[in-house]
Amino acid sequence: MFNGLGLGIHEALTGSNILAALAGVILGSAVGVFPGIGPLAAISILLPITLHFSSLTGLVILAGVFYGSQYGDSMAAILVNVPSEAAAIVIAKDGYAMTKRGRGGAALAVAGVSSFVGAMIGLLGVVLLAIPLAKLAIYFRPSDYVAVASLGLILLPLVMREHLWKSIVAIGVGLMLTTIGTNPISGSLRFTFGITQMSQGFTIVPIAVGLFGLAELIHLIVDGEHWNVTGKYGFREILPSKAEWLETFPAAGRGGILGFVLGALPGPSLILATFTSHGIEDRIRRRRLLRRGFADEEEGHVSGVAGPKAADDAAVGGQLVPLLSLGIPFSPVTAVLLAALTLHGIQPGPLFISQNPDIFWGLIAAMGIGNIGLLILNFPFAGLWVKLLKVPFSIRAAVLIPIMIVGTFAVRNSMFDVATLFVSGILGFIFIRIGVNRGLLILGFVLGDFLEKAIVRSLLVSRGSFLVFIDRPVSAITLAIIFLVAIAMPGWKAIRARH
């Protein structure tokens, strides 16, 4: 592990990768700070840019974009109460209350420090768990991968807060899109409807950029701006008090550990981690006040920002463990990251760490450097990000839309991909309006091709016998868990609805 970290630091501390990490966090923060454009949209918009660099440099930029946009999304939630993702709703609750009390700058600083603490806890967890899990996964067979991938694909709709049918529709559309084009097994064409361009199938870039980036812009254009930033956010205004610092670090530590553990599980871990962390911090605060004989009537507490924010970033580290070790994404965020890795010619899985140690350890080290850079830049750049919130929306759209079009076209030099971008944008806007989770479509799209190949390989080995999916402990136990939860979860939801 220490040799690997040494290799990673050596790879990451090159001039190009340091600049890539800093550029990524700056670009991510700049895009993520726009209300309505969250981390997934930021990654999708800037994904095509990373394809023009080497594998490691491109991934470093992408990691920086993600962490930067996570912080930018928190700024929009704290200052104007417009969270772009469900995970930021909890942060907005206490953060915006602090802004109304004139402590918005302190809330930004607390969010930045907590983001750093959570991200570093998450990266430490990746270093400790990814290698043992990868060694274990070497003994996996295709049938085991089918079971584990199905675990995330089936359990995710069951535990989401949305209506079950909406989640099924989103995943179903994603799975269907993977069947268009050339059959990966036989090489025959399917579902192309005589359109030559469809024989190559769809790629992740136009679909992701359209669903998240363009759809969010259309949504904001239709709704119009409805936020107003007030107050001063200079260096002095954003420094928390001594009492706020003392409340920040314990909450961030608790949130970081909780977030990493929950992040490694299939399901909406970012949402679960932030909501659970907020609930724990709320109970700790209330019990502390009750011991002193006080009632907790005031809104806007530092721990309510620090804990959920650290949990949010640490959960990303938890999600990276199954992605890098098994090559299976358990969330929309890691589905997009898997697509990015694939576009760079890298296939995560059991052999990824041993065959590409420079990329794995370089990515871990660069993510750590990027988080340090983000922490350092948070304080002097806070005023700049606040000013970006005041930029007229027409100017933002005029900058972002050409970036989306040019970036999408440059991947395959295809106008068909540009057309796919706009169709995906309209579909994403419709999904926003009817309350369908667009991330599930991406998850279905990314896992569809993987599942199909794993199923076919399993059946070829077993000569067509479906018993291959239950004749090994990993696949049998995993499918049993899926079966039990699929029965228990709807019943539990029905019981809760009655009460």
Side-chain angles (χ1 to χ4, degrees):
M1 182 180 69
F2 290 105
N3 290 337
L5 283 175
L7 173 64
I9 293 173
H10 178 266
E11 293 288 336
L13 287 180
T14 62
S16 59
N17 287 334
I18 292 176
L19 289 176
L22 295 177
V25 296
I26 292 173
L27 286 172
S29 299
V31 176
V33 77
F34 293 164
I37 300 180
L40 271 174
I43 292 177
S44 302
I45 292 170
L46 299 173
L47 173 60
I49 297 175
T50 67
L51 301 181
H52 301 284
F53 297 90
S54 66
S55 298
L56 180 57
T57 303
L59 294 174
V60 168
I61 294 174
L62 207 59
V65 166
F66 177 75
Y67 282 116
S69 59
Q70 285 270 88
Y71 178 68
D73 186 33
S74 300
M75 290 189 67
I78 290 171
L79 296 181
V80 294
N81 198 26
V82 185
S84 302
E85 290 195 327
I89 293 175
V90 177
I91 299 170
K93 182 179 179 181
D94 282 274
Y96 187 61
M98 290 181 67
T99 299
K100 291 192 291 186
R101 293 204 329 260
R103 298 299 296 163
L108 293 180
V110 168
V113 172
S114 302
S115 174
F116 172 77
V117 172
M120 298 308 287
I121 291 175
L123 291 177
L124 177 61
V126 174
V127 170
L128 294 176
L129 294 183
I131 294 178
L133 184 59
K135 290 182 178 178
L136 177 64
I138 290 176
Y139 301 99
F140 278 26
R141 293 182 180 176
S143 58
D144 298 324
Y145 281 105
V146 171
V148 175
S150 300
L151 180 67
L153 201 59
I154 294 175
L155 292 191
L156 199 56
L158 291 174
V159 299
M160 294 294 285
R161 294 174 176 266
E162 291 88 352
H163 292 292
L164 181 60
W165 70 268
K166 294 181 180 179
S167 299
I168 293 174
V169 166
I171 288 182
V173 171
L175 290 173
M176 286 191 293
L177 288 175
T178 63
T179 65
I180 297 174
T182 305
N183 188 314
I185 306 299
S186 65
S188 60
L189 296 179
R190 56 188 184 183
F191 305 115
T192 59
F193 305 101
I195 302 174
T196 305
Q197 292 88 340
M198 292 182 66
S199 62
Q200 296 181 348
F202 294 101
T203 63
I204 186 67
V205 172
I207 294 176
V209 175
L211 277 177
F212 296 105
L214 187 58
E216 292 289 356
L217 289 179
I218 296 173
H219 177 62
L220 292 173
I221 290 172
V222 172
D223 281 0
E225 292 184 318
H226 54 279
W227 54 80
N228 183 33
V229 182
T230 58
K232 296 181 179 180
Y233 297 92
F235 186 78
R236 292 182 179 179
E237 286 79 14
I238 67 172
L239 285 178
S241 64
K242 181 180 179 181
E244 289 171 333
W245 279 126
L246 292 175
E247 192 176 352
T248 296
F249 289 105
R254 290 188 293 265
I257 296 172
L258 175 69
F260 177 78
V261 173
L262 295 178
L265 303 176
S269 52
L270 294 182
I271 303 171
L272 184 62
T274 51
F275 274 80
T276 305
S277 175
H278 187 272
I280 291 174
E281 296 305 324
D282 187 58
R283 289 185 181 182
I284 291 175
R285 183 175 60 251
R286 289 179 182 275
R287 288 179 180 177
R288 186 181 301 145
L289 290 173
L290 285 174
R291 291 195 198 113
R292 299 175 182 175
F294 297 101
D296 186 16
E297 301 292 342
E298 188 182 45
E299 292 185 351
H301 299 278
V302 170
S303 61
V305 175
K309 184 55 189 166
D312 189 19
D313 284 78
V316 177
Q319 293 175 347
L320 287 176
V321 173
L323 173 66
L324 298 177
S325 301
L326 304 177
I328 301 175
F330 281 160
S331 70
V333 171
T334 49
V336 175
L337 291 177
L338 174 60
L341 288 166
T342 305
L343 289 173
H344 281 280
I346 301 169
Q347 183 58 53
L351 300 178
F352 167 62
I353 299 175
S354 60
Q355 293 181 348
N356 303 278
D358 54 334
I359 294 178
F360 173 79
W361 292 108
L363 179 61
I364 296 298
M367 291 171 82
I369 293 172
N371 274 286
I372 294 173
L374 181 62
L375 177 66
I376 295 172
L377 294 175
N378 279 339
F379 292 91
F381 276 64
L384 175 62
W385 305 141
V386 172
K387 290 180 180 178
L388 282 179
L389 283 170
K390 302 178 181 180
V391 174
F393 180 73
S394 57
I395 297 177
R396 304 177 208 167
V399 172
L400 292 177
I401 291 178
I403 291 176
M404 297 180 196
I405 296 174
V406 173
T408 299
F409 177 80
V411 175
R412 296 195 299 183
N413 294 327
S414 171
M415 287 303 298
F416 177 76
D417 286 348
V418 176
T420 304
L421 165 71
F422 285 99
V423 173
S424 300
I426 295 171
L427 179 63
F429 173 71
I430 295 173
F431 275 17
I432 293 174
R433 288 302 191 183
I434 64 177
V436 175
N437 191 315
R438 295 159 292 160
L440 294 179
L441 189 153
I442 292 294
L443 190 66
F445 180 77
V446 171
L447 280 178
D449 184 61
F450 175 86
L451 267 175
E452 181 182 14
K453 291 178 180 178
I455 290 172
V456 171
R457 287 169 183 164
S458 300
L459 294 176
L460 286 174
V461 171
S462 67
R463 298 182 180 180
S465 174
F466 285 90
L467 294 177
V468 70
F469 297 111
I470 58 172
D471 67 352
R472 285 172 54 83
V474 173
S475 56
I477 294 173
T478 305
L479 291 176
I481 293 173
I482 294 173
F483 180 75
L484 292 174
V485 174
I487 294 176
M489 189 61 69
W492 171 250
K493 287 186 176 181
I495 293 172
R496 289 189 63 184
R498 291 180 182 178
H499 296 282

